[in-house]
Amino acid sequence: MLRINTSLTYHINKMTHCIAHNISSPLGWTSDDNIAAVLEGHHKLQTHEGKWQLKQSFVASLFDDNAVEQRFNSYVGDVGLPLSRFEMLVVLSVKQAAQQADVNLNSSDVGIVIATTKGNVELLSNNNQPHIPRQRTLIGLSANIIARVLGNPNAPHVMCNACISGAHALLFGHRLLQMGRYRQVVVCGCDVQSAFIVSGFQSFHAFSQAPCKPFDLYRDGLNLGEAAATMILSADKTCNKAWHIEGGAVRNDAYHISSPSKKGEGCYRALDAMGTNEAQELAFVSAHGTATPYNDEMEAKALHRAELQDVPVNALKGIYGHTMGAAGVLETILSMMAVEAQTVLPTAGFSEMGVSKPLLISAQRQASSKPSFVKMLSGFGGCNVAMRWKWADGDAHNEHNQQGAKPRLMPLRKVDITPNGAAIDGNDLNIDNANGTLLTAIYKQWANDYPKFYKMDGLSRLAFAVGELMVKGTDSLPTLALEDNTAIVFVGKSGSLASDVKYQDTISNPDNFFPSPAHFVYTLPNIATGELAIRHEVHGETAFFIASQQDEAQISTLLHTAAMDKEATHVLGGWLEYEDDNHFAAHAQLYEVVRDL
């Protein structure tokens, strides 16, 4: 049974400050470079023909060839081992941010959180960076290499939660500080583009062949981008004017793994849980704004339901494209700098309202002296995040730096599944899997009413089996139900790598090139949490973390951070690892969240 750490010291009332930041993108290597380019109306979105031998052209904001390597060699230099482009970008951005605030990355009081959607997935192609060991497709191993190069002694945390990864990682870092786990937390969001990612979106017909138009009547799809963006968070008291996290929440649509809720359910719930009071203090809402028909419509409905329709709204995808795991951090930094400059950034590409609910889309740069903004993101797997930031004096909120009510996790039930069998609370189950795989046998014996199971990848099937065994009763155990505000948090080593390999096979042969949307949709590990949310109609926080090994202390910390959501009633989570039908393991528990006064 997972040993839950009960000795954590919580500082619920302690504010989280941003003490440094960096953006490294095709528009520049520093945050100052980037905001200057944005204010001057620049972008690097351009049409790429024949890139990576892809048959279809696409529009994206990409680094020039060898630009990352050249910048790394001049700014960092030789680190004694080869690094991938992804790893170089993370190290570059973190080092540049740390230098601003003189942060000692070697300290055990400094935590590292890396947010990424696909990490080193381009290494699945043997022709891509052949000097990099192929094991680095395991993003936990890659994160360990990054931490080693940075000199940080702690095990890094890797958030892999689709498009919301960057903003969710900031909320996670905030909670780590409130728990007293670290004194400072470095959050870096990063993704690089490749044939793998571009062809996948092409298979969904999700691209615009021109710079995208968020919220516009004639929007017809998204663009992609690549970047690394870093924010350093601190719980140390400061009297200087600084950025503070005012609130944040993650909620699931519980609707579909690749389409947003038609009502914007998860997005609205995240806004509502974050707290939308004092809307008059908001300079703007920084929307996800992918310029796809369904995303922008969903966000408009969610903002209207949250009564934020009179607050200016902007979106930055028409400048940077969708930078995936970097988007939440990058767009938060630019929003901070815009508020400091007393301006609302324009929504590049927007000219005519194209959503059904009235919004104040910021078409042109406009002045604002208001001190706060909201950042929103949504992603595959039904995940949605909303965070509110405020620019204020360090003592403006009557900070008390005192211990607050801390959540405890009370175990209710435990499920273990390996190729050798399954058990509930340590009692082995009699499962007949003579004619198939164990996971299919569990489905047939314990559910058999959800044909979508057969469309799922192995990781999602494993999560599904965990959910069924967790709630179904036996002769000695009562039936349970997952409450609406249950948080679902899993940690694994391989993530979606098994599905990544299957998808890579569909694009590896130029003469037999057939990008499969059915495979591509499962190349995100958090789809497994989304499938559980849909099955059990759960709208709570969902998250997937990657770790290089099963570490009970780390898993305990991750589960506790989800319990810090004020509305969480239960947490379902633990280790979820799937390599193939003969190599997998789930060790998960359902907990009730008990709050001590």
Side-chain angles (χ1 to χ4, degrees):
M1 182 172 287
L2 175 63
R3 293 189 294 275
I4 290 295
N5 185 355
T6 58
S7 63
L8 297 168
T9 302
Y10 289 76
H11 300 281
I12 303 299
N13 298 321
K14 191 157 184 157
M15 285 192 293
T16 295
H17 315 278
C18 173
I19 61 172
H21 53 72
N22 168 267
I23 297 173
S24 292
S25 83
L27 282 179
W29 295 108
T30 69
S31 298
D32 287 340
D33 290 342
N34 278 267
I35 191 65
V38 171
L39 292 174
E40 292 169 6
H42 298 165
H43 69 80
K44 291 292 288 287
L45 290 170
Q46 56 186 288
T47 300
H48 296 271
E49 297 271 4
K51 184 78 171 178
W52 302 309
Q53 289 75 55
L54 290 172
K55 297 180 180 179
Q56 298 180 41
S57 63
F58 62 95
V59 176
S61 176
L62 306 179
F63 287 101
D64 293 337
D65 291 345
N66 299 317
V68 173
E69 293 84 350
Q70 291 171 6
R71 174 68 177 183
F72 186 88
N73 290 335
S74 64
Y75 189 87
V76 179
D78 184 18
V79 295
L81 73 168
L83 297 182
S84 68
R85 280 204 319 137
F86 166 77
E87 292 156 357
M88 288 183 186
L89 265 177
V90 174
V91 171
L92 261 174
S93 185
V94 170
K95 279 187 170 290
Q96 290 176 117
Q99 188 176 38
Q100 294 174 26
D102 197 25
V103 172
N104 181 12
L105 296 173
N106 301 92
S107 172
S108 60
D109 288 337
V110 176
I112 303 288
V113 180
I114 297 173
T116 187
T117 304
K118 292 311 302 173
N120 277 323
V121 71
E122 60 183 339
L123 298 184
L124 287 176
S125 169
N126 290 328
N127 297 325
N128 199 315
Q129 303 173 82
H131 63 293
I132 304 297
R134 300 296 101 172
Q135 298 95 321
R136 303 265 188 93
T137 52
L138 292 168
I139 197 60
L141 174 61
S142 178
N144 287 343
I145 294 294
I146 291 169
R148 173 181 161 190
V149 171
L150 293 172
N152 188 263
N154 298 310
H157 304 285
V158 180
M159 172 73 73
C160 199
N161 215 29
C163 301
I164 78 167
S165 296
H168 197 170
L170 291 171
L171 180 59
F172 171 66
H174 164 60
R175 292 170 176 172
L176 289 174
L177 292 173
Q178 287 192 312
M179 290 172 64
R181 182 65 181 82
Y182 304 103
R183 183 173 56 86
Q184 296 168 333
V185 175
V186 178
V187 179
C188 181
C190 182
D191 267 303
V192 296
Q193 297 302 328
S194 64
F196 183 104
I197 299 169
V198 172
S199 64
F201 278 102
Q202 286 176 334
S203 75
F204 271 102
H205 304 287
F207 279 153
S208 172
Q209 290 301 310
C212 64
K213 305 173 182 293
F215 296 99
D216 190 76
L217 179 63
Y218 298 104
R219 69 188 187 278
D220 60 353
L222 58 80
N223 307 141
L224 289 177
E226 52 189 9
T230 300
M231 291 173 60
I232 301 181
L233 308 179
S234 175
D236 291 344
K237 173 74 173 176
T238 176
C239 293
N240 298 323
K241 204 165 189 178
W243 281 101
H244 313 298
I245 295 175
E246 291 279 288
V250 174
R251 293 292 182 269
N252 200 283
D253 285 332
Y255 173 73
H256 195 276
I257 58 172
S258 60
S259 295
S261 161
K262 294 179 181 179
K263 300 188 299 180
E265 188 64 29
C267 187
Y268 162 70
R269 287 180 180 233
L271 286 167
D272 186 59
M274 169 205 70
T276 55
N277 295 329
E278 301 177 355
Q280 66 276 10
E281 287 194 0
L282 293 174
F284 54 85
V285 173
S286 174
H288 190 36
T290 60
T292 57
Y294 295 124
N295 174 87
D296 294 8
E297 176 70 10
M298 173 276 292
E299 286 195 280
K301 290 179 178 178
L303 287 166
H304 196 266
R305 291 177 66 186
E307 299 182 353
L308 293 174
Q309 66 273 14
D310 295 326
V311 177
V313 174
N314 68 9
L316 300 173
K317 302 295 192 298
I319 300 172
Y320 286 90
H322 192 342
T323 55
M324 297 171 33
V329 186
L330 181 151
E331 293 170 12
T332 297
I333 294 170
L334 291 171
S335 296
M336 288 176 169
M337 300 183 83
V339 170
E340 292 173 32
Q342 297 191 340
T343 191
V344 180
L345 297 175
T347 302
F350 174 83
S351 60
E352 184 176 353
M353 182 65 70
V355 292
S356 64
K357 296 296 182 181
L359 294 178
L360 291 179
I361 302 297
S362 175
Q364 305 294 330
R365 181 180 171 186
Q366 56 185 290
S368 176
S369 60
K370 296 181 178 180
S372 302
F373 71 90
V374 168
K375 178 66 207 147
M376 300 162 52
L377 288 130
S378 302
F380 279 11
C383 53
N384 302 267
V385 63
M387 291 189 71
R388 179 170 174 149
W389 293 81
K390 187 168 186 177
W391 174 245
D393 293 336
D395 57 356
H397 294 255
N398 194 25
E399 180 183 13
H400 290 296
N401 188 15
Q402 61 186 4
Q403 292 186 20
K406 69 176 183 178
R408 290 187 295 108
L409 297 180
M410 184 174 74
L412 299 179
R413 187 168 293 176
K414 185 175 189 293
V415 168
D416 296 284
I417 306 175
T418 70
N420 297 322
I424 301 177
D425 289 342
N427 298 310
D428 292 337
L429 300 177
N430 183 18
I431 298 173
D432 180 12
N433 65 323
N435 297 317
T437 67
L438 177 67
L439 299 181
T440 302
I442 291 174
Y443 166 75
K444 290 180 177 178
Q445 188 169 326
W446 289 75
N448 210 30
D449 62 349
Y450 201 69
K452 187 184 175 184
F453 172 85
Y454 292 103
K455 295 183 179 180
M456 297 180 190
D457 71 332
L459 186 70
S460 295
R461 290 186 182 191
L462 181 57
F464 183 93
V466 167
E468 296 305 296
L469 298 184
M470 197 69 74
V471 303
K472 299 291 177 66
T474 65
D475 292 339
S476 59
L477 293 173
T479 299
L480 298 176
L482 299 186
E483 300 290 338
D484 184 73
N485 280 318
T486 298
I488 302 174
V489 181
F490 285 120
V491 191
K493 177 182 178 181
S494 301
S496 59
L497 186 58
S499 293
D500 294 345
V501 171
K502 288 182 179 179
Y503 178 76
Q504 180 68 29
D505 286 344
T506 73
I507 65 170
S508 293
N509 187 346
D511 297 324
N512 190 26
F513 186 82
F514 59 103
S516 168
H519 287 318
F520 186 72
V521 72
Y522 284 102
T523 59
L524 298 168
N526 71 296
I527 296 296
T529 65
E531 293 283 22
L532 267 182
I534 296 167
R535 168 64 168 171
H536 297 278
E537 298 181 356
V538 167
H539 291 92
E541 179 170 335
T542 52
F544 204 102
F545 292 88
I546 304 293
S548 59
Q549 61 183 354
Q550 184 179 352
D551 185 306
E552 292 185 0
Q554 185 180 32
I555 295 173
S556 173
T557 295
L558 302 182
L559 298 182
H560 270 92
T561 62
M564 292 174 71
D565 183 303
K566 62 184 179 181
E567 295 182 356
T569 58
H570 296 77
V571 176
L572 168 62
W575 184 254
L576 194 76
E577 170 63 11
Y578 179 90
E579 294 182 41
D580 55 44
D581 284 342
N582 297 311
H583 302 87
F584 57 83
H587 305 292
Q589 285 187 249
L590 177 64
Y591 303 90
E592 181 181 358
V593 179
V594 179
R595 304 186 191 281
D596 294 333
L597 299 178

